[in-house]
Amino acid sequence: QVQLMESGGGSVQAGGSLSLSCSTSGYTSSVHCMGWFRQAPGKEREGIAAIDNRGRGAYAKSVQGRFTISQDNAKKTLYLQMNNLKPEDTSTYYCAALRPPYYCAAEHMGHLSHAWGQGTQVTVSS
């Protein structure tokens, strides 16, 4: 079973940047896709970014061009660099793991991932 732990959330003003990290451990060989989803109070989960085991990233339209997903396989760590943050990005962010048969896509991370961390809060003020 894969274990995930996020870090790096916080508060920032609109236009600012934050970087999230996610350390992974456990049985990861069955995982072919890692990513991030977010969930704000009273809202559904939104898958926002995904990266496959070849390093190819995919993004939701809401974050395309502002967020960058990356991974360091040696460190077993996933990252999310968030630039030009907006108040609507305020949410709890979770890193997640996806197994086959689902293909690696940002929109799959919110509802099809089989494991996720405890989440980290990101607050963007206007």
Side-chain angles (χ1 to χ4, degrees), residues 101-123:
Y102 309 109
Y103 66 88
C104 195
E107 61 265 29
H108 286 172
M109 302 313 301
H111 298 283
L112 298 177
S113 52
H114 74 281
W116 51 90
Q118 83 287 350
T120 186
Q121 178 66 34
V122 171
T123 302

Side-chain angles (χ1 to χ4, degrees), residues 16-110:
S17 298
L18 281 173
S19 180
L20 305 183
S21 299
C22 173
S23 60
T24 67
S25 61
Y27 186 65
T28 60
S29 63
S30 64
V31 174
H32 73 118
C33 179
M34 297 291 296
W36 297 86
F37 68 86
R38 62 189 182 187
Q39 187 169 25
K43 295 188 177 181
E44 292 190 356
R45 291 181 179 181
E46 180 190 14
I48 57 172
I51 187 167
D52 65 17
N53 53 18
R54 296 183 180 182
R56 296 175 296 191
Y59 303 91
K61 290 182 179 179
S62 59
V63 305
Q64 180 80 43
R66 301 187 296 122
F67 291 12
T68 302
I69 189 171
S70 62
Q71 60 188 1
D72 184 327
N73 291 327
K75 295 182 179 179
K76 295 186 177 181
T77 303
L78 182 72
Y79 304 98
L80 186 68
Q81 177 65 39
M82 305 184 294
N83 297 329
N84 191 22
L85 283 160
K86 305 176 180 180
E88 51 264 41
D89 294 318
T90 295
S91 191
T92 301
Y93 285 70
Y94 300 84
C95 69
L98 185 72
R99 293 183 301 201
Y102 309 109
Y103 66 88
C104 195
E107 61 265 29
H108 286 172
M109 302 313 301

